[in-house]
Amino acid sequence: MTDKNGKHPGIQLDINAVKLADITGDMTPIAEGAGKTLGAVPTFLHRLCLLIFGDWYTERICRDMKKRAQAEHDCEAIRQGALTLFSGQNATEAPRQIATPAQAARRHLEETGTDNLIACAAEAAHILANPPPSASRPDEDAPSSQASRLSETFVNRWKNEAQSVSEHQLRHLWGAILAREITAPGSVSLKTLERLKVVSREDAEAFTALCDYVLDNDCYLAPTVFARSPDGGIQSRTRYPLKRLDVLDDLGLIHAPSALALNERRLVPENGAIWLDYGPFTFCLKSGKDILLSMNLLKPAGKEICRIIRQISLKKAERLARLMLACDEFRETHAIAIYGKTGKKQSDGRQELALKTVIDRESAPCPAGDEPPA
């Protein structure tokens, strides 16, 4: 959750005090610099700070601890009369040096870069401290590299680019990328990180919206699926990023639909049913014959980012099922059952599923003006 300024209410950013995160509950505030010891900082947050800020982080904490210790010593000396609060002498301030325009510009760039870096790191800390619920976690089929170590080259590239990220949406994206790489090293390639350099806020928002239409982890429903719907108004209520598909293609995230790139995927029934993965859920369609569905592939970078940023809820799954039933490809499909992945394996090695709900054709039409959940 964010406030009206687009910030997490539980996160404070203060470069001078190194306040990267102020997490409520049983988590100790991170590196507040007000007498907190290194041992009181949660291990993974402390490692995150060391990873991003290195010796600067440690030295800042030590300086802040010394300042607090000196302040407490002076306060006690004043109470005992051993130290006078005001000496009565006229203190003189050293004249301030006027910075040249070049020095001022360089200082501004350094302060802005540090501010951006801390903000992105704070987003990563927030995600690590508050993992998403099971219904919105990245797909379990995402590559896991727990045995590998976090690449120092990746961290250096991330730090270099994060200093230029000023918008909240992009800070959250870069924070999510770092958090994912910390928990599962190797999930994000350097090539993907390179592509993210030129992703704008509008591009990130468009791709996030597109992720709600990704099935089987590697392809998305083409806009022609909705365009051919008998309900002419359904397309206007999908939030489908039609206008930015070509841009997302140029960024190397998707294969945009075209006369050459349109992929007609054949869905073959298995024992009279078709199964489609949808993040932490699985759709089951009863069908007596094959279904040709217009779908387009995500590019490798798009698949990596999609696994990290998309948050699929049961409400989103229900809405997509309704949209699909209203399309021409599913005219002979009477209902879509939505199963949740339990995380357990059956004896045959398949994922164990639990039935969540069934969307039938009678309940499929969306009310006029209805919009998908954020």
Side-chain angles (χ1 to χ4, degrees):
M1 297 295 292
T2 58
D3 58 19
K4 63 181 181 179
N5 296 320
K7 298 181 178 180
H8 291 289
I11 291 181
Q12 298 182 26
L13 298 178
D14 187 334
I15 297 175
N16 296 323
V18 201
K19 293 182 180 179
L20 293 187
D22 183 11
I23 302 171
T24 59
D26 59 349
M27 303 296 291
T28 305
I30 180 173
E32 287 186 329
K36 300 297 181 183
T37 64
L38 289 177
V41 179
T43 302
F44 69 89
L45 293 180
H46 175 56
R47 289 181 60 192
L48 174 63
C49 291
L50 287 176
L51 180 69
I52 302 303
F53 303 106
D55 293 339
W56 180 86
Y57 164 73
T58 306
E59 292 171 359
R60 171 66 75 173
I61 290 181
C62 292
R63 287 202 303 270
D64 289 339
M65 291 173 63
K66 290 178 181 179
K67 288 180 181 179
R68 178 173 174 81
Q70 183 65 50
E72 291 177 348
H73 177 272
D74 292 346
C75 288
E76 184 62 25
I78 290 173
R79 283 192 292 268
Q80 295 179 0
L83 183 67
T84 303
L85 182 60
F86 298 105
S87 62
Q89 299 177 355
N90 294 326
T92 59
E93 296 183 359
R96 294 183 178 180
Q97 295 183 350
I98 300 177
T100 65
Q103 291 173 331
R106 185 164 52 250
R107 185 180 304 167
H108 172 73
L109 289 176
E110 291 174 352
E111 292 175 352
T112 302
T114 303
D115 190 13
N116 292 337
L117 183 60
I118 290 180
C120 292
E123 291 289 337
H126 180 83
I127 294 171
L128 290 169
N130 302 274
S134 58
S136 61
R137 288 176 185 168
D139 305 324
E140 66 165 11
D141 294 330
S144 177
S145 305
Q146 296 180 354
S148 62
R149 299 180 58 184
L150 185 62
S151 167
E152 185 176 346
T153 300
F154 180 94
V155 174
N156 290 335
R157 292 272 188 91
W158 185 92
K159 290 166 59 177
N160 185 59
E161 299 304 328
Q163 296 181 62
S164 303
V165 179
S166 300
E167 294 154 303
H168 172 72
Q169 292 87 342
L170 292 179
R171 285 174 172 176
H172 181 75
L173 171 61
W174 282 84
I177 294 293
L178 179 62
R180 176 60 174 170
E181 193 65 14
I182 288 175
T183 56
S187 298
V188 184
S189 65
L190 292 177
K191 184 178 292 186
T192 297
L193 205 63
E194 185 71 17
R195 295 188 185 281
L196 285 176
K197 291 168 52 176
V198 293
V199 172
S200 67
R201 176 179 59 83
E202 294 79 11
D203 299 333
E205 291 175 348
F207 186 70
T208 300
L210 186 71
C211 287
D212 288 345
Y213 301 94
V214 172
L215 295 167
D216 287 346
N217 302 323
D218 66 349
C219 51
Y220 63 95
L221 289 173
T224 52
V225 173
F226 306 112
R228 291 201 297 267
S229 167
D231 178 5
I234 193 172
Q235 185 175 339
S236 62
R237 296 198 301 271
T238 62
R239 284 187 183 169
Y240 204 98
L242 284 172
K243 296 181 179 179
R244 302 197 73 84
L245 292 181
D246 290 336
V247 176
L248 296 178
D249 190 345
D250 292 339
L251 291 172
L253 302 180
I254 68 171
H255 291 282
S258 68
L260 298 177
L262 191 60
N263 178 26
E264 294 284 337
R265 178 163 294 195
R266 185 177 296 276
L267 307 179
V268 181
E270 179 183 347
N271 297 326
I274 292 175
W275 300 87
L276 290 169
D277 277 340
Y278 185 57
F281 301 100
T282 297
F283 290 165
C284 180
L285 298 72
K286 297 295 182 181
S287 178
K289 61 179 183 179
D290 297 358
I291 295 177
L292 277 178
L293 188 60
S294 298
M295 306 175 80
N296 279 85
L297 290 173
L298 298 176
K299 294 181 179 179
K303 287 191 285 187
E304 290 182 2
I305 298 174
C306 180
R307 291 189 181 104
I308 295 170
I309 67 171
R310 78 167 177 170
Q311 297 183 359
I312 301 300
S313 63
L314 180 58
K315 187 175 181 181
K316 285 186 177 182
E318 291 173 344
R319 179 176 180 81
L320 181 58
R322 293 189 180 97
L323 291 173
M324 291 167 63
L325 286 176
C327 298
D328 188 55
E329 280 86 345
F330 301 96
R331 59 186 176 277
E332 297 184 9
T333 301
H334 300 291
I336 297 179
I338 302 176
Y339 290 83
K341 300 175 183 177
T342 65
K344 301 178 181 178
K345 297 290 185 179
Q346 297 177 341
S347 57
D348 59 0
R350 294 189 178 187
Q351 172 69 247
E352 183 179 275
L353 302 175
L355 181 63
K356 294 297 183 181
T357 187
V358 177
I359 305 299
D360 56 37
R361 187 167 294 281
E362 293 181 359
S363 62
C366 300
D370 185 25
E371 291 190 355

